[in-house]
Amino acid sequence: MTGTPRIVVLAGGVGGSRFVLGVRGALRGRGIDDTTSALTVVVNTGDDLWLSGVRLQPDVDSITYALAGVNDAERGWGRQGDSERVNHELQEWGAGWPWFTLGDLDLGTHLARTGWLRDGLTPTQVLERMSHRWDLGARLLPMTDAEVDTIVVLEDGSRLHFQEWWTRHRATLAPARFENPGIDAAAPAPGLTEALAAADVVLLAPSNPVVSIGPILDVPGIRQALRDTAAPVVGVSPVIGGKVVRGMADVCLTAIGVETSAAAVAGLYGARADGGLLDAWLIAEEDEAAADEVAGLGIRSLVRPLWMTDDARRTALGEAALTAGLADDRAL
Ligand code: GDP
Ligand code: CA
């Protein structure tokens, strides 16, 4: 392969943004200055919602803020140094959800977005516009312009919005299943399937397989576009040492009958050769014993350090994922 590689990453919020930082770092490390042309990020919008009259896009904002360097890395969401005056006032009015904090700076983002949506811009156009404020070094695409929800159905049949289940109940109520109303009528965002078709490498971030990567794959046309692309598809395990690193993704996996292990998540995505998605799967050194099981599925398994706790580790992981893809025969 010659020239600038074209990389497409599928990503959710926290794990997704850490990984995207790493891929951007790896591209820069390869001497590519214009990473915006090289790197397209397809972002989950399945947990977007309307609250207090504004449109929230949690995963889109996590990635935007992280790439801009204005995210609250410690807390894992929102803006660094944000305040909550407006949120307090909303609570006094009894508006919104008392357990769902909206920061003041964050609300500025939501207001700008909502205004543009009301002016008639599509979510793709809004995100394009929002990408100009900072030098993000990546092109961001929502998975779809359609409004898709994530609903958690509990054992007793009651239904909760994903954010209520996740943020209010901290995923402690056992889910029977997840539903994405609206997804069957959704179409991939404009330019998305074209980006997959033209890619040199496609990367699945170590995001929640059920409620971050899952909805992206379930937008009609995206899974097929992944199967059709000539580019190798390389995934990174969100499970390290048999545990999800952060958050409650294990509860989501259990609900769909998938064990919380690096090999089981690989099995969920499936081998490309077997009608699934993956050519290669990066697993942690802690899960080395699972390498044979992954290989047995027909997926090239690579044991690498998967912790993304600082810049150097993130970039090393981004580089490992790029190398795994670019070294694949079909990309040469
Ligand atoms: P959300 O949309 O904010 O829930 O975030 P994502 O779906 O993008 O990512 C959540 C997942 O990221 C978690 O389930 C973790 O397993 C994974 N994750 C977070 N930090 C790391 C890390 O340092 N290494 C790896 N391999 N996975 C991580
Ligand atoms: Ca999310």
Side-chain angles (χ1 to χ4, degrees):
M1 201 200 66
T2 54
T4 305
R6 285 158 301 183
I7 314 299
V8 179
V9 182
L10 272 51
V14 174
S17 58
R18 290 179 184 157
F19 183 66
V20 168
L21 284 176
V23 176
R24 186 184 66 178
L27 288 168
R28 286 180 177 159
R30 286 172 173 237
I32 295 165
D33 295 325
D34 179 14
T35 57
T36 307
S37 306
L39 178 57
T40 298
V41 184
V42 175
V43 188
N44 171 45
T45 57
D47 50 14
D48 292 4
L49 67 155
W50 289 98
L51 194 66
S52 295
V54 293
R55 187 72 176 152
L56 311 186
Q57 296 198 292
D59 292 1
V60 164
D61 289 346
S62 290
I63 291 188
T64 304
Y65 295 159
L67 287 171
V70 300
N71 60 311
D72 187 328
E74 219 141 279
R75 197 171 52 171
W77 54 272
R79 291 280 296 273
Q80 217 172 75
D82 211 346
S83 48
E84 295 170 8
R85 289 192 69 194
V86 179
N87 192 66
H88 181 74
E89 195 62 9
L90 285 169
Q91 291 186 7
E92 292 295 321
W93 285 115
W97 283 331
W99 37 266
F100 199 85
T101 309
L102 300 171
D104 293 333
L105 298 177
D106 217 8
L107 269 161
T109 304
H110 308 326
L111 284 169
R113 169 164 43 230
T114 304
W116 287 326
L117 288 171
R118 293 196 59 170
D119 288 345
L121 268 66
T122 63
T124 302
Q125 290 166 336
V126 170
L127 187 48
E128 215 264 325
R129 189 172 284 193
M130 293 197 131
S131 299
H132 293 316
R133 175 171 174 189
W134 293 291
D135 180 16
L136 302 182
R139 172 185 177 219
L140 307 189
L141 286 177
M143 66 186 196
T144 179
D145 279 339
E147 283 188 16
V148 172
D149 276 312
T150 299
I151 300 292
V152 185
V153 184
L154 304 181
E155 301 288 355
D156 65 5
S158 54
R159 301 164 67 81
L160 296 179
H161 189 280
F162 174 75
Q163 296 295 353
E164 182 168 11
W165 178 74
W166 187 261
T167 307
R168 181 182 191 182
H169 298 289
R170 312 295 306 162
T172 50
L173 307 173
R177 62 181 186 279
F178 298 90
E179 290 179 1
N180 293 118
I183 205 152
D184 291 341
L192 198 162
T193 47
E194 291 82 354
L196 286 171
D200 294 303
V201 180
V202 177
L203 302 174
L204 303 190
S207 288
N208 187 317
V210 185
V211 294
S212 292
I213 303 295
I216 302 178
L217 298 175
D218 286 345
V219 172
I222 295 189
R223 199 183 294 270
Q224 193 58 43
L226 275 165
R227 289 202 184 112
D228 290 345
T229 182
V233 177
V234 179
V236 179
S237 174
V239 176
I240 299 182
K243 291 194 176 70
V244 290
V245 173
R246 188 187 157 130
M248 294 84 65
D250 49 337
V251 183
C252 304
L253 286 166
T254 305
I256 64 160
V258 174
E259 190 193 321
T260 301
S261 75
V265 177
L268 172 67
Y269 291 138
R272 191 97 179 267
D274 203 20
L277 300 176
L278 293 174
D279 292 294
W281 184 238
L282 271 57
I283 64 172
E285 294 157 306
E286 293 88 333
D287 295 309
E288 196 170 358
D292 287 347
E293 194 182 333
V294 175
L297 297 168
I299 301 164
R300 196 154 60 99
S301 75
L302 300 158
V303 180
R304 298 287 182 274
L306 294 194
W307 291 99
M308 301 188 287
T309 36
D310 59 38
D311 248 346
R313 288 189 177 90
R314 284 191 285 268
T315 298
L317 178 56
E319 179 53 38
L322 285 182
T323 306
L326 295 169
D328 188 291
D329 286 341
R330 283 164 306 153
L332 294 172

